[in-house]
Short mmCIF file of all heavy atoms in Angstrom, two decimals:
data_model
loop_
_atom_site.label_atom_id
_atom_site.label_comp_id
_atom_site.label_asym_id
_atom_site.label_seq_id
_atom_site.Cartn_x
_atom_site.Cartn_y
_atom_site.Cartn_z
N PRO A 59 -81.23 -9.03 106.75
CA PRO A 59 -81.13 -9.01 105.28
C PRO A 59 -81.06 -10.43 104.73
O PRO A 59 -80.00 -10.94 104.38
CB PRO A 59 -79.83 -8.23 105.05
CG PRO A 59 -79.00 -8.51 106.25
CD PRO A 59 -79.97 -8.63 107.41
N TRP A 60 -82.22 -11.07 104.65
CA TRP A 60 -82.28 -12.49 104.33
C TRP A 60 -81.63 -12.82 102.97
O TRP A 60 -81.12 -13.93 102.78
CB TRP A 60 -83.73 -12.97 104.35
CG TRP A 60 -84.36 -12.79 105.68
CD1 TRP A 60 -85.43 -11.96 105.99
CD2 TRP A 60 -84.02 -13.43 106.92
NE1 TRP A 60 -85.73 -12.06 107.34
CE2 TRP A 60 -84.89 -12.95 107.92
CE3 TRP A 60 -83.06 -14.38 107.27
CZ2 TRP A 60 -84.84 -13.38 109.25
CZ3 TRP A 60 -82.99 -14.80 108.59
CH2 TRP A 60 -83.86 -14.30 109.55
N ASP A 61 -81.66 -11.86 102.06
CA ASP A 61 -81.08 -12.14 100.74
C ASP A 61 -79.57 -12.25 100.77
O ASP A 61 -78.96 -12.70 99.80
CB ASP A 61 -81.51 -11.05 99.74
CG ASP A 61 -81.03 -9.67 100.14
OD1 ASP A 61 -81.10 -9.32 101.35
OD2 ASP A 61 -80.56 -8.93 99.26
N LYS A 62 -78.96 -11.85 101.91
CA LYS A 62 -77.51 -11.94 102.04
C LYS A 62 -77.06 -13.08 102.95
O LYS A 62 -75.88 -13.19 103.27
CB LYS A 62 -76.95 -10.59 102.58
CG LYS A 62 -77.16 -9.43 101.63
CD LYS A 62 -76.58 -8.14 102.24
CE LYS A 62 -76.60 -6.98 101.24
NZ LYS A 62 -77.97 -6.60 100.85
N ILE A 63 -78.01 -13.90 103.36
CA ILE A 63 -77.72 -15.01 104.28
C ILE A 63 -77.82 -16.33 103.53
O ILE A 63 -78.82 -16.59 102.85
CB ILE A 63 -78.70 -14.98 105.47
CG1 ILE A 63 -78.50 -13.69 106.28
CG2 ILE A 63 -78.51 -16.21 106.36
CD1 ILE A 63 -79.54 -13.45 107.35
N TYR A 64 -76.77 -17.14 103.65
CA TYR A 64 -76.70 -18.43 102.94
C TYR A 64 -76.54 -19.54 103.97
O TYR A 64 -75.63 -19.52 104.79
CB TYR A 64 -75.53 -18.41 101.96
CG TYR A 64 -75.70 -17.38 100.86
CD1 TYR A 64 -75.37 -16.06 101.09
CD2 TYR A 64 -76.23 -17.74 99.62
CE1 TYR A 64 -75.58 -15.09 100.10
CE2 TYR A 64 -76.42 -16.80 98.63
CZ TYR A 64 -76.08 -15.47 98.89
OH TYR A 64 -76.28 -14.53 97.90
N VAL A 65 -77.45 -20.51 103.90
CA VAL A 65 -77.56 -21.52 104.94
C VAL A 65 -77.13 -22.89 104.39
O VAL A 65 -77.56 -23.32 103.32
CB VAL A 65 -79.01 -21.59 105.46
CG1 VAL A 65 -79.17 -22.72 106.48
CG2 VAL A 65 -79.41 -20.26 106.07
N PHE A 66 -76.30 -23.56 105.18
CA PHE A 66 -75.83 -24.92 104.88
C PHE A 66 -76.09 -25.79 106.11
O PHE A 66 -76.53 -25.29 107.14
CB PHE A 66 -74.33 -24.90 104.55
CG PHE A 66 -73.98 -23.99 103.40
CD1 PHE A 66 -73.80 -22.63 103.60
CD2 PHE A 66 -73.84 -24.49 102.12
CE1 PHE A 66 -73.51 -21.77 102.53
CE2 PHE A 66 -73.53 -23.65 101.05
CZ PHE A 66 -73.37 -22.29 101.27
N TRP A 67 -75.80 -27.06 106.01
CA TRP A 67 -75.94 -27.97 107.15
C TRP A 67 -74.63 -28.71 107.37
O TRP A 67 -74.01 -29.19 106.41
CB TRP A 67 -77.07 -28.98 106.92
CG TRP A 67 -78.41 -28.46 107.29
CD1 TRP A 67 -79.08 -28.67 108.46
CD2 TRP A 67 -79.27 -27.62 106.49
NE1 TRP A 67 -80.30 -28.01 108.43
CE2 TRP A 67 -80.43 -27.36 107.24
CE3 TRP A 67 -79.14 -27.06 105.22
CZ2 TRP A 67 -81.48 -26.56 106.75
CZ3 TRP A 67 -80.18 -26.27 104.72
CH2 TRP A 67 -81.34 -26.03 105.50
N GLU A 82 -82.82 -30.77 108.22
CA GLU A 82 -83.34 -29.74 107.34
C GLU A 82 -84.79 -29.40 107.71
O GLU A 82 -85.15 -28.20 107.79
CB GLU A 82 -83.29 -30.20 105.89
CG GLU A 82 -83.89 -29.19 104.91
CD GLU A 82 -84.00 -29.72 103.49
OE1 GLU A 82 -83.43 -30.79 103.18
OE2 GLU A 82 -84.68 -29.06 102.67
N ARG A 86 -86.16 -25.76 108.87
CA ARG A 86 -87.17 -25.07 108.06
C ARG A 86 -88.37 -24.70 108.90
O ARG A 86 -88.89 -23.58 108.80
CB ARG A 86 -87.60 -25.96 106.88
CG ARG A 86 -86.57 -26.03 105.76
CD ARG A 86 -87.10 -26.81 104.56
NE ARG A 86 -86.13 -26.88 103.47
CZ ARG A 86 -85.95 -25.94 102.54
NH1 ARG A 86 -86.67 -24.82 102.59
NH2 ARG A 86 -85.06 -26.11 101.58
N TRP A 89 -87.27 -21.94 111.55
CA TRP A 89 -86.66 -20.69 111.08
C TRP A 89 -86.96 -20.40 109.62
O TRP A 89 -87.62 -19.41 109.27
CB TRP A 89 -85.15 -20.77 111.33
CG TRP A 89 -84.29 -19.73 110.66
CD1 TRP A 89 -84.72 -18.57 110.03
CD2 TRP A 89 -82.86 -19.72 110.56
NE1 TRP A 89 -83.65 -17.87 109.54
CE2 TRP A 89 -82.50 -18.56 109.84
CE3 TRP A 89 -81.88 -20.61 110.98
CZ2 TRP A 89 -81.18 -18.25 109.57
CZ3 TRP A 89 -80.55 -20.30 110.70
CH2 TRP A 89 -80.20 -19.13 110.00
N LEU A 90 -86.47 -21.24 108.71
CA LEU A 90 -86.39 -20.85 107.30
C LEU A 90 -87.75 -20.65 106.63
O LEU A 90 -87.88 -19.77 105.77
CB LEU A 90 -85.55 -21.89 106.54
CG LEU A 90 -84.12 -22.06 107.08
CD1 LEU A 90 -83.43 -23.23 106.41
CD2 LEU A 90 -83.30 -20.79 106.90
N ASP A 91 -88.74 -21.47 107.01
CA ASP A 91 -90.07 -21.28 106.43
C ASP A 91 -90.80 -20.08 107.01
O ASP A 91 -91.88 -19.72 106.50
CB ASP A 91 -90.91 -22.56 106.66
CG ASP A 91 -90.46 -23.72 105.78
OD1 ASP A 91 -89.66 -23.48 104.86
OD2 ASP A 91 -90.91 -24.86 106.05
N ARG A 92 -90.24 -19.47 108.03
CA ARG A 92 -90.90 -18.35 108.69
C ARG A 92 -90.40 -16.98 108.19
O ARG A 92 -90.92 -15.94 108.62
CB ARG A 92 -90.67 -18.41 110.21
CG ARG A 92 -91.21 -19.67 110.85
CD ARG A 92 -91.00 -19.61 112.36
NE ARG A 92 -91.52 -20.79 113.04
CZ ARG A 92 -91.65 -20.90 114.35
NH1 ARG A 92 -91.32 -19.87 115.13
NH2 ARG A 92 -92.11 -22.00 114.89
N VAL A 93 -89.38 -16.99 107.33
CA VAL A 93 -88.77 -15.74 106.90
C VAL A 93 -88.70 -15.70 105.38
O VAL A 93 -88.89 -16.72 104.70
CB VAL A 93 -87.37 -15.56 107.50
CG1 VAL A 93 -87.44 -15.56 109.03
CG2 VAL A 93 -86.41 -16.64 107.02
N ASP A 94 -88.39 -14.53 104.85
CA ASP A 94 -88.37 -14.32 103.40
C ASP A 94 -86.97 -14.54 102.83
O ASP A 94 -86.42 -13.67 102.16
CB ASP A 94 -88.89 -12.91 103.10
CG ASP A 94 -89.20 -12.71 101.63
OD1 ASP A 94 -89.46 -13.73 100.94
OD2 ASP A 94 -89.16 -11.55 101.17
N ILE A 95 -86.41 -15.70 103.13
CA ILE A 95 -85.08 -16.00 102.60
C ILE A 95 -85.24 -16.64 101.22
O ILE A 95 -86.10 -17.51 101.04
CB ILE A 95 -84.30 -16.93 103.57
CG1 ILE A 95 -82.84 -17.13 103.08
CG2 ILE A 95 -85.00 -18.26 103.77
CD1 ILE A 95 -81.96 -17.83 104.11
N PRO A 96 -84.47 -16.20 100.23
CA PRO A 96 -84.60 -16.81 98.90
C PRO A 96 -84.30 -18.30 98.93
O PRO A 96 -83.37 -18.76 99.63
CB PRO A 96 -83.53 -16.06 98.08
CG PRO A 96 -83.32 -14.76 98.80
CD PRO A 96 -83.50 -15.08 100.25
N ALA A 97 -85.09 -19.07 98.21
CA ALA A 97 -84.89 -20.53 98.17
C ALA A 97 -83.49 -20.88 97.71
O ALA A 97 -82.90 -21.88 98.18
CB ALA A 97 -85.93 -21.16 97.25
N ALA A 98 -82.93 -20.07 96.82
CA ALA A 98 -81.59 -20.36 96.29
C ALA A 98 -80.50 -20.18 97.35
O ALA A 98 -79.36 -20.62 97.14
CB ALA A 98 -81.30 -19.45 95.09
N ASN A 99 -80.83 -19.53 98.46
CA ASN A 99 -79.84 -19.30 99.54
C ASN A 99 -79.81 -20.47 100.52
O ASN A 99 -78.98 -20.48 101.43
CB ASN A 99 -80.16 -18.01 100.30
CG ASN A 99 -79.89 -16.78 99.48
OD1 ASN A 99 -79.80 -16.83 98.27
ND2 ASN A 99 -79.76 -15.65 100.15
N ILE A 100 -80.69 -21.44 100.35
CA ILE A 100 -80.76 -22.58 101.25
C ILE A 100 -80.11 -23.78 100.56
O ILE A 100 -80.60 -24.26 99.53
CB ILE A 100 -82.21 -22.89 101.64
CG1 ILE A 100 -82.84 -21.69 102.34
CG2 ILE A 100 -82.30 -24.13 102.53
CD1 ILE A 100 -84.33 -21.82 102.58
N HIS A 101 -79.02 -24.26 101.15
CA HIS A 101 -78.20 -25.28 100.51
C HIS A 101 -78.27 -26.56 101.34
O HIS A 101 -77.37 -26.87 102.12
CB HIS A 101 -76.75 -24.80 100.35
CG HIS A 101 -76.65 -23.55 99.50
ND1 HIS A 101 -76.42 -23.59 98.15
CD2 HIS A 101 -76.79 -22.24 99.83
CE1 HIS A 101 -76.38 -22.36 97.67
NE2 HIS A 101 -76.60 -21.52 98.67
N ALA A 102 -79.35 -27.28 101.16
CA ALA A 102 -79.58 -28.51 101.92
C ALA A 102 -78.73 -29.66 101.40
O ALA A 102 -78.34 -29.70 100.24
CB ALA A 102 -81.06 -28.89 101.88
N ILE A 103 -78.47 -30.61 102.27
CA ILE A 103 -77.70 -31.79 101.90
C ILE A 103 -78.61 -32.75 101.13
O ILE A 103 -79.71 -33.06 101.59
CB ILE A 103 -77.14 -32.49 103.16
CG1 ILE A 103 -76.12 -31.58 103.83
CG2 ILE A 103 -76.53 -33.84 102.82
CD1 ILE A 103 -75.58 -32.10 105.15
N TYR A 117 -72.76 -33.09 97.31
CA TYR A 117 -72.77 -31.90 98.17
C TYR A 117 -71.39 -31.23 98.18
O TYR A 117 -71.29 -30.00 98.16
CB TYR A 117 -73.20 -32.28 99.60
CG TYR A 117 -73.66 -31.11 100.43
CD1 TYR A 117 -74.64 -30.24 99.96
CD2 TYR A 117 -73.17 -30.87 101.71
CE1 TYR A 117 -75.10 -29.17 100.71
CE2 TYR A 117 -73.62 -29.83 102.48
CZ TYR A 117 -74.59 -28.97 101.98
OH TYR A 117 -75.04 -27.91 102.75
N HIS A 120 -71.12 -29.25 95.08
CA HIS A 120 -71.98 -28.08 95.19
C HIS A 120 -71.28 -26.98 96.02
O HIS A 120 -71.30 -25.81 95.65
CB HIS A 120 -73.30 -28.45 95.84
CG HIS A 120 -74.23 -27.30 96.06
ND1 HIS A 120 -74.95 -26.71 95.04
CD2 HIS A 120 -74.55 -26.60 97.18
CE1 HIS A 120 -75.67 -25.70 95.52
NE2 HIS A 120 -75.45 -25.62 96.81
N PHE A 124 -70.12 -23.22 94.91
CA PHE A 124 -70.60 -22.05 95.61
C PHE A 124 -69.43 -21.17 96.05
O PHE A 124 -69.44 -19.95 95.88
CB PHE A 124 -71.44 -22.44 96.83
CG PHE A 124 -71.92 -21.25 97.63
CD1 PHE A 124 -73.11 -20.63 97.30
CD2 PHE A 124 -71.18 -20.75 98.69
CE1 PHE A 124 -73.56 -19.52 98.03
CE2 PHE A 124 -71.60 -19.65 99.42
CZ PHE A 124 -72.79 -19.03 99.08
#
Side-chain angles (χ1 to χ4, degrees):
W60 300 114
D61 61 317
K62 295 181 172 64
I63 297 172
Y64 295 82
V65 176
F66 303 83
W67 276 262
E82 177 188 349
R86 285 186 180 276
W89 167 11
L90 301 172
D91 287 348
R92 299 184 180 190
V93 300
D94 193 25
I95 186 170
N99 289 20
I100 299 172
H101 300 267
I103 294 175
Y117 199 51
H120 178 75
F124 178 88

